[in-house]
Amino acid sequence: MTTQRRTAGPVPRIGARKPVRTRRRRLGRPATRLRASVSGVLLLMLLISARLVQLQGLDATAYAAKAQEQRSHVTVIPASRGAIVDRNGRAFAQDVDARLIAVDPTEVTDIGGVAGGLSSRLGMDVQKVAAAIEGAPKGSRYVVIAHDVDVAVGNEISALDLSGVVVQREVRRDHPGGPLAAQVVGVTGSDDQGLSGVELTMDKLLAGTAGRVEEQLDPQGRVIPQAGTEETPAVDGQRVRLTLDRDLQWEAQSALLAQVQATGSRGGHIVVMNPHTGEVLALASVPGFDASKPIDPAKLHLGAVENVYEPGSVNKVITAAAALQEGVVTPNTEVTVPPVGHWPGRPTVINDAENHGTEHLTFTGVLAQSSNIGTDEVAQMVGMPTIYKYLDLFGLGKKPGSGLPGESAGVIPALAGLNPSSASTIPFGQGMSVTALQVADAYATIANGGLRVPARIIAGSTDAKGIFRPAKHPAPVRVVSPQTAKTLSRMLEAVTGETGTAPEAAIPGYRIAGKTGTAQAIGADGRYDGGYVASFVGFAPAENPKLLVEVVLDHPQGAHFGGVISAPVFKTVMSFALREMGITPSGTKPPQWTLSLDK
C-alpha cells in the first residue's frame, strides 16, 4: 500500500524555481507598521473624543460644581444659644457678646510691642504672648491669644491698631448667679454643647441652627460682586423656662450650705416643691460649684436626683398610707410595741431610737414617735405584696422624669425571693434606697390629696416668634383616696408637736405636717459605715398645703437626728417661702391626737 503524505503547500516540480517567500515578508513590514500606526492614531482620537464627551457632556455639571466650590468662600454665622430662665424670666444662663483676640504672625512687625499691648489689656504674661506669636508654625496666619474677652477690652485693643492683631466677635455663656442653681442649669463645653443639667437635656432646643454666607472669590481672594451672595440666616436657640424661683433657690442653697458647714456634713440636698403642680421651686445639693469659674467635673452631677441613700423613717409614710387605704388600721388603732430586741416570729433585731419596755401606742403615736417596731407590727398586718404595691404607686424604684439628666430610680429589692430580714426593715426605710427628689415627690402626693403629680423642672420653651410651648409631663397618678391623704396629713401634724420627733420644724401661726428620718449611711463598699443620713420633709399649711420642703444631711458629725439638725433648715426655708409667696397663716388649730394608751 502506498502512503501519501500531506504537505503544507504544493510539491515543487524538479527544476522549477522556488517561491520567493522571504522577499514577500520583507516587502509587507512597512505596510503593517503603517496600518498599526493609523489604527493607534484612530484609537487615540477615539479615546480623546470619548473623554471630551465625558467631560463636556456627562461630567460637565460635576466639574462645574467643583470649580464653583473652589471659588466659594463660606462664612458661618453662629446662632445665639437660648437663655435658661427662672419661672419669672430671670436669667440663670445666657449668651453675651464677647471678643476673640488673634494674631497674624506674618503681619507682625514688632513682636515686643504687640505682646506688650495685648498683655496689659488681657492681664496675661507678656512673655507668654510673645512666645505664642514667635512659636506659631511657619506660614501660620492665625494664632488665638484669648477667648471670652469683654467687649470693652476688645474695643480698647482695636483702638491700639497693632499690626497683625485681629479682634473678632464671639459669644460666651454667662451665668449671672455664679453658683445659683448651677447644678440644675448645667454648663456647656468649648463647642457650645450642653455637658450637664438642663443645658444637656434641652441642648437641641437651646442650640439653634447656625447660618452661613457664601461668596465667590477670584484667584487673589477678592470677592466677585457679579457672582452674588447667598445668605442663610442663623436661627437662634429657644429660651427655656424652668419652674425654679430665683429668690427661693438662693435662700434654699444658702440655708443648706450653712447647715452642712455647721454640722460638718459631707454634703446635703434640699427640695422645695408646689405639691399641687409638681413644680420644683428650688433644688440644690452640696457640694456644688460656681458656673462662672473653672469647674471640677466631679461636681457637675446633681446629688438630689442622682445620689441614693436609705430613707429611714421618712419611708414610714408609705407603710402608713397602705395601712390606712387598705382599712387595716385607723389613726386610733392600738398597736402593742414589744421591747427593743429580738422576739419570737421576727428574723432580726429591730431597734427604736430609745430603749423601752412594752408600749401601747395608737397608730398615730407610732408615726409621731417614729417607732420602727410599731411600724413593723403594722406592716406585718398589711403584708409585703401590698407594701410593694404602694412603694410603686408612690414612685419609688423608678425615675421621677423631672427633665434632669442622671436621674436614679433607687433600689427596691425584688419582692420575689425577698429575704425575711428585708421584709422586716423595708417598711421603715432600711434595706432599700431612694433619692431626695423621690421622697419629696412621695410626700407631695399626700399633700395633694393622694394624687401624685410627678416632679418637674422644665416649664416650657419660647421660640423666636415669642410663642411659649409648655413642656410635656407624665400624667398624674391616683395613689390613695383624698380621705386617706387628709387623715394621714393630720397624723403627720403630730410629728411637729411638742411630743413628736420634730418640734424644731414648727412655725408660729402655721400648721405643719412632716416626718423625720435618721438612717444608717452606706459606705462605698455597700456596707454601713457608722455614719448617718438625717432628713426632714414636711408641707404647709397642713390644712391646705401650698409648699413642701425636704432637707437631707449626709454624714453629719455629732448630732445626727433629722428632727434636730434637718428640721431647723426646713423651718428657715419654709418660713421664707411662706412669707415671699404671701401665704396667710392657718386659721385653725391642729388636731389633738392620743399617742399613747399607757397610763
Side-chain angles (χ1 to χ4, degrees):
M1 179 181 292
T2 302
T3 301
Q4 294 183 348
R5 296 180 181 275
R6 293 185 178 182
T7 62
V11 180
R13 291 176 297 170
I14 297 174
R17 288 185 177 182
K18 296 180 179 181
V20 188
R21 298 181 182 276
T22 303
R23 178 81 175 172
R24 287 176 183 159
R25 284 197 293 269
R26 286 185 187 142
L27 291 174
R29 283 177 181 171
T32 302
R33 289 196 192 99
L34 180 60
R35 285 194 297 270
S37 298
V38 171
S39 299
V41 171
L42 291 174
L43 179 61
L44 180 60
M45 292 179 66
L46 181 61
L47 290 174
I48 293 174
S49 299
R51 182 58 174 161
L52 288 173
V53 169
Q54 181 186 20
L55 291 176
Q56 296 181 1
L58 300 177
D59 292 344
T61 302
Y63 278 94
K66 189 171 183 178
Q68 177 83 359
E69 181 182 342
Q70 292 175 342
R71 294 197 308 270
S72 295
H73 176 265
V74 176
T75 301
V76 175
I77 305 173
S80 291
R81 190 173 180 84
I84 299 175
V85 302
D86 82 340
R87 61 188 303 106
N88 298 309
R90 295 172 292 183
F92 284 122
Q94 60 189 356
D95 274 5
V96 296
D97 271 352
R99 295 294 181 265
L100 177 148
I101 310 300
V103 170
D104 180 351
T106 64
E107 295 187 5
V108 175
T109 56
D110 180 7
I111 292 179
V114 169
L118 294 180
S119 62
S120 63
R121 269 73 180 180
L122 297 174
M124 299 175 63
D125 181 78
V126 64
Q127 295 181 349
K128 288 185 177 180
V129 177
I133 300 173
E134 292 175 336
K138 186 176 181 181
S140 174
R141 303 199 61 181
Y142 193 79
V143 176
V144 176
I145 303 299
H147 282 286
D148 295 339
V149 176
D150 287 343
V151 174
V153 175
N155 292 339
E156 288 181 17
I157 293 175
S158 294
L160 295 176
D161 198 23
L162 299 171
S163 62
V165 174
V166 179
V167 179
Q168 293 179 321
R169 178 184 178 273
E170 68 175 2
V171 175
R172 65 179 170 87
R173 202 66 168 161
D174 182 54
H175 300 84
L180 188 64
Q183 292 165 311
V184 176
V185 173
V187 296
T188 55
S190 58
D191 57 358
D192 210 29
Q193 288 185 329
L195 298 180
S196 66
V198 175
E199 293 277 21
L200 174 60
T201 57
M202 303 298 288
D203 185 65
K204 187 174 181 180
L205 282 181
L206 289 164
T209 305
R212 52 184 281 152
V213 176
E214 184 174 353
E215 301 170 310
Q216 303 300 312
L217 306 180
D218 65 15
Q220 285 71 42
R222 295 169 300 193
V223 176
I224 304 174
Q226 297 84 353
T229 300
E230 184 177 336
E231 181 174 349
T232 304
V235 178
D236 290 339
Q238 297 189 32
R239 184 173 71 166
V240 172
R241 186 200 303 173
L242 306 184
T243 59
L244 300 182
D245 179 277
R246 188 180 171 92
D247 294 336
L248 187 51
Q249 178 74 27
W250 181 264
E251 178 68 19
Q253 277 191 226
S254 300
L256 175 66
L257 179 59
Q259 190 70 334
V260 165
Q261 295 173 340
T263 59
S265 300
R266 292 183 185 176
H269 318 295
I270 190 164
V271 184
V272 183
M273 286 180 65
N274 178 333
H276 300 298
T277 64
E279 293 176 321
V280 177
L281 304 177
L283 182 64
S285 292
V286 174
F289 62 87
D290 187 336
S292 63
K293 297 179 181 179
I295 301 165
D296 178 359
K299 295 181 179 180
L300 286 177
H301 74 283
L302 178 59
V305 301
E306 298 182 43
N307 295 354
V308 298
Y309 61 95
E310 287 195 350
S313 294
V314 295
N315 198 59
K316 291 171 182 173
V317 74
I318 310 294
T319 302
L324 291 170
Q325 182 66 27
E326 298 296 322
V328 175
V329 295
T330 69
N332 293 315
T333 296
E334 180 180 345
V335 180
T336 300
V337 181
V340 172
H342 185 278
W343 60 93
R346 294 292 181 270
T348 186
V349 174
I350 299 177
N351 296 314
D352 278 337
E354 299 177 358
N355 290 326
H356 57 76
T358 299
E359 294 181 328
H360 300 87
L361 305 177
T362 63
F363 184 46
T364 301
V366 168
L367 197 60
Q369 296 181 10
S370 200
S371 171
N372 293 339
I373 301 172
T375 301
D376 183 61
E377 289 287 293
V378 173
Q380 299 305 316
M381 293 187 283
V382 174
M384 286 309 292
T386 302
I387 296 293
Y388 264 64
K389 168 187 169 183
Y390 284 92
L391 287 172
D392 180 71
L393 285 171
F394 274 98
L396 304 188
K398 49 192 174 185
K399 297 180 180 181
S402 65
L404 291 170
E407 284 187 331
S408 173
V411 178
I412 308 294
L415 179 60
L418 186 68
N419 64 62
S421 178
S422 294
S424 292
T425 60
I426 285 176
F428 55 82
Q430 289 186 6
M432 57 180 286
S433 66
V434 297
T435 66
L437 188 60
Q438 286 178 314
V439 172
D441 200 12
Y443 274 78
T445 300
I446 301 301
N448 191 39
L451 185 67
R452 183 168 73 88
V453 180
R456 58 194 62 177
I457 199 78
I458 309 295
S461 60
T462 303
D463 63 19
K465 297 179 180 178
I467 299 174
F468 177 77
R469 291 180 173 82
K472 295 182 179 179
H473 302 290
V477 177
R478 171 60 63 183
V479 178
V480 295
S481 68
Q483 183 56 48
T484 295
K486 183 177 180 180
T487 300
L488 185 52
S489 177
R490 300 295 182 267
M491 293 169 65
L492 290 172
E493 288 189 71
V495 174
T496 61
E498 292 182 0
T499 57
T501 57
E504 293 291 333
I507 299 175
Y510 292 91
R511 291 168 56 180
I512 306 296
K515 187 71 188 75
T516 55
T518 305
Q520 297 180 75
I522 305 296
D525 61 356
R527 300 173 180 271
Y528 293 124
D529 62 8
Y532 292 89
V533 176
S535 60
F536 180 84
V537 54
F539 46 86
E543 74 280 10
N544 184 20
K546 294 290 193 297
L547 293 166
L548 176 143
V549 176
E550 179 195 14
V551 179
V552 182
L553 296 173
D554 180 26
H555 284 82
Q557 303 301 305
H560 59 267
F561 291 108
V564 175
I565 60 175
S566 299
V569 183
F570 164 89
K571 179 178 181 178
T572 297
V573 176
M574 180 63 85
S575 298
F576 175 87
L578 290 170
R579 184 171 61 253
E580 288 297 303
M581 296 181 67
I583 298 173
T584 57
S586 301
T588 58
K589 293 183 179 295
Q592 298 300 308
W593 294 102
T594 298
L595 305 183
S596 175
L597 299 175
D598 293 324
K599 300 297 184 180

